[in-house]
Amino acid sequence: MTKDDFEIENAKEIVEWGEKMKHLDDNVFVAEIQYERNRDEICKRITPAMWCFDTMHTVIGTDLMYRNPDRALAPFNRKWGSTWRKLARLSKSWSELCSIYYTTVIRDDLGNVGFNFDKELKKLIIKRFGKGSTPDILFSAYLAWDDCRADPTYRYPSDPFN
């Protein structure tokens, strides 16, 4: 199994645990236990390549979309090129997804979608590469992980006795 095969298999498992997190038991106490278990399983599966992609995702979002409206590449590459090269050494698949994300921002493929950027990017990835493609699986895993880092309380079903 290559590094990339491992990353894809691992990403599929993260997506599965992320789906479980969306369908919790109606009992608040049971849901809390399920949520913690799902969250722990996702966190156990995070790889260095995924952390590296997270860094690039944040950087591309802030440096290119918000701080750098003319999307100049040279300053971005000078500042973050080494992180990208590290990502490429860790995993070709995550590096490829990062390139897709980067070029989408540079070309302004999604226009002004604001806070829905990740949702719109997911749609674009599915349209361009197909559902179940490597970029789709990796990005879904990233979104599941991002979701599990959010405040867990908003996921719990409401308590009928409150």
Side-chain angles (χ1 to χ4, degrees):
M1 182 181 272
T2 67
K3 277 190 287 189
D4 291 302
D5 292 336
F6 168 75
E7 288 285 0
I8 293 161
E9 283 306 308
N10 195 47
K12 283 179 183 172
E13 288 179 15
I14 291 171
V15 173
E16 280 174 35
W17 285 103
E19 283 304 310
K20 286 179 184 176
M21 204 181 269
K22 289 176 186 170
H23 306 288
L24 299 175
D25 198 283
D26 286 333
N27 179 315
V28 177
F29 302 109
V30 175
E32 190 170 344
I33 293 163
Q34 288 173 342
Y35 187 92
E36 289 305 317
R37 187 182 315 129
N38 297 339
R39 197 168 181 274
D40 289 348
E41 285 299 327
I42 287 173
C43 291
K44 270 190 231 169
R45 288 169 167 75
I46 302 310
T47 62
M50 198 164 177
W51 268 114
C52 206
F53 173 79
D54 183 56
T55 303
M56 293 308 292
H57 182 276
T58 306
V59 162
I60 289 168
T62 53
D63 272 26
L64 287 177
M65 290 172 72
Y66 301 110
R67 289 192 205 134
N68 197 355
D70 61 350
R71 292 175 172 76
L73 304 186
F76 178 86
N77 287 334
R78 259 197 313 276
K79 195 169 175 186
W80 298 104
S82 62
T83 309
W84 200 324
R85 285 189 292 279
K86 183 180 176 189
L87 177 59
R89 284 193 303 274
L90 287 169
S91 169
K92 184 178 175 287
S93 300
W94 281 105
S95 182
E96 213 168 74
L97 179 59
C98 199
S99 297
I100 292 163
Y101 182 39
Y102 182 67
T103 53
T104 300
V105 171
I106 295 299
R107 291 191 313 228
D108 204 17
D109 288 350
L110 299 176
N112 187 15
V113 292
F115 290 112
N116 287 328
F117 188 84
D118 284 344
K119 198 168 150 186
E120 292 302 315
L121 180 59
K122 175 109 173 96
K123 284 182 194 169
L124 184 85
I125 287 170
I126 290 171
K127 186 177 169 186
R128 205 174 279 173
F129 303 97
K131 193 157 180 61
S133 63
T134 299
D136 177 37
I137 293 165
L138 294 178
F139 198 61
S140 297
Y142 176 74
L143 294 178
W145 178 44
D146 202 40
D147 218 21
C148 99
R149 293 187 290 175
D151 175 14
T153 54
Y154 83 97
R155 278 272 188 227
Y156 302 155
S158 58
D159 187 341
F161 302 107
N162 252 347

